[in-house]
Amino acid sequence: MTDATTATGATMPVLILLGPPGAGKGTQAKKLEEQFGLIQLSTGDLLRDAVARGTQAGKAAQEVMDRGGLVGDDIVIRIVADRLDAPDCEQGVILDGFPRTTAQAAALEGLLAQKGASVNAAISLEVDDAAMVERISGRFTCAACGEGYHDSFKQPQAQGVCDKCGGTEFKRRADDTAETVRSRLAAYHADTAPLIDFYDAKGALHRIDAMQPIAAVERSLQAIVAPVTGAALA
Ligand code: ADP
Ligand code: AMP
């Protein structure tokens, strides 16, 4: 058993960002990572990395991801368990895109219990389905550092140059098509939305109106995350 208390003796903070594809989970997780020293743990990113590396898990996941379905719980839980064991996670994690099923939520409780930790806050980013296609079809990221952008809502300050790292190559995700978005939204409503009630029943749920501009969502999140991490708001 690994005890993931931090150097100060505090238990590692665990935050979950819930919300449909395109809600802004990745955008906000990266900000929280910078502001609070938390580690973003995105199962989508971990799975895309496994696909790119051609691992067994990646080969099994690729076809499901291409059609916008959910990858099997066993594969995803194994990937998360491995990642949570890395020492950097002791400083606290923001789970982005996990859990996505009740089986994953139950497995997470077990993984965290082994570390003497539990979910401190599950934050539901609430958005209209109608906004999702526009959010997702306009999404692109810096190929070098992964910073996220949008054709309408968040262009780099200098056209064609990443604000964060100066990179000039950008990429779009293969599964960000209108057709796949519909499957991903259906999977969200069928399998993931029930987790809102799950965390509400535990008293851990917070809801944020994620139709607001990025900066306003960020401020709402900071007000929830600061007390959990013990950080003071600027
Ligand atoms: P998720 O990780 O939940 O799938 P992203 O964080 O990648 O979603 O956001 C999807 C797209 O929408 C990105 O291009 C991002 O720049 C943009 N976006 C994120 N939050 C907002 C917001 N509050 N208003 C407008 N656009 C947003
Ligand atoms: P995301 O980057 O979160 O939009 O995820 C991209 C794709 O990866 C999803 O459409 C799923 O196919 C897969 N995926 C990511 N996270 C999970 C998860 N927790 N459970 C099952 N499939 C997942």
Side-chain angles (χ1 to χ4, degrees), residues 17-31 40 42 48 96-97 100 125 127 131-132 134-141 148-155 173 176 184 209-218:
L17 292 184
L18 287 170
K25 302 182 296 297
T27 302
Q28 298 295 340
K30 286 195 167 49
K31 293 176 184 292
Q40 175 191 15
S42 155
R48 280 185 287 279
D96 158 9
R100 256 175 157 102
L125 299 184
V127 276
M132 295 299 93
E134 188 187 15
R135 287 244 185 129
I136 289 183
S137 54
R139 162 162 73 185
F140 62 98
T141 52
Y149 295 97
H150 193 280
D151 291 329
S152 311
F153 304 124
K154 187 189 163 193
Q155 281 281 353
R173 277 170 48 176
D176 278 352
R184 286 158 66 198
D209 173 7
M211 294 300 290
Q212 302 176 91
I214 293 174
V217 175
E218 182 183 350

Side-chain angles (χ1 to χ4, degrees), residues 59-82:
K59 283 181 186 139
Q62 179 155 32
E63 181 270 332
V64 183
M65 292 172 76
D66 286 346
R67 64 177 156 79
L70 288 184
V71 174
D73 289 331
D74 49 345
I75 294 179
V76 178
I77 291 165
R78 210 171 319 128
I79 286 181
V80 171
D82 283 351

Side-chain angles (χ1 to χ4, degrees), residues 31-227:
K31 293 176 184 292
L32 295 175
E33 206 173 39
E34 284 165 16
Q35 291 162 0
F36 295 99
L38 301 166
I39 299 295
Q40 175 191 15
L41 198 164
S42 155
T43 41
D45 285 349
L46 292 171
L47 286 165
R48 280 185 287 279
D49 181 58
V51 170
R53 287 187 293 117
T55 65
Q56 216 180 344
K59 283 181 186 139
Q62 179 155 32
E63 181 270 332
V64 183
M65 292 172 76
D66 286 346
R67 64 177 156 79
L70 288 184
V71 174
D73 289 331
D74 49 345
I75 294 179
V76 178
I77 291 165
R78 210 171 319 128
I79 286 181
V80 171
D82 283 351
R83 183 66 186 90
L84 277 176
D85 276 344
D88 62 344
C89 287
E90 290 175 20
Q91 60 203 70
V93 290
I94 312 164
L95 299 170
D96 158 9
F98 180 90
R100 256 175 157 102
T101 64
T102 47
Q104 292 178 15
L108 176 64
E109 301 215 319
L111 292 171
L112 294 178
Q114 286 173 18
K115 297 177 181 301
S118 60
V119 174
N120 297 96
I123 306 162
S124 172
L125 299 184
E126 314 223 313
V127 276
D128 302 339
D129 279 6
M132 295 299 93
V133 175
E134 188 187 15
R135 287 244 185 129
I136 289 183
S137 54
R139 162 162 73 185
F140 62 98
T141 52
C142 171
C145 74
E147 182 69 1
Y149 295 97
H150 193 280
D151 291 329
S152 311
F153 304 124
K154 187 189 163 193
Q155 281 281 353
Q157 279 162 15
Q159 204 190 351
V161 182
C162 175
D163 297 344
K164 199 167 171 197
C165 76
T168 52
E169 301 253 331
F170 295 86
K171 58 183 183 182
R172 290 181 193 260
R173 277 170 48 176
D175 62 344
D176 278 352
T177 61
E179 192 186 330
T180 313
V181 171
R182 275 191 287 278
S183 310
R184 286 158 66 198
L185 272 177
Y188 173 77
H189 287 298
D191 297 309
T192 311
L195 296 183
I196 294 176
D197 285 345
F198 177 88
Y199 287 111
D200 198 12
K202 290 181 180 297
L205 184 75
H206 300 259
R207 296 173 187 270
I208 290 182
D209 173 7
M211 294 300 290
Q212 302 176 91
I214 293 174
V217 175
E218 182 183 350
R219 283 192 296 276
S220 304
L221 268 167
Q222 286 172 338
I224 297 166
V225 175

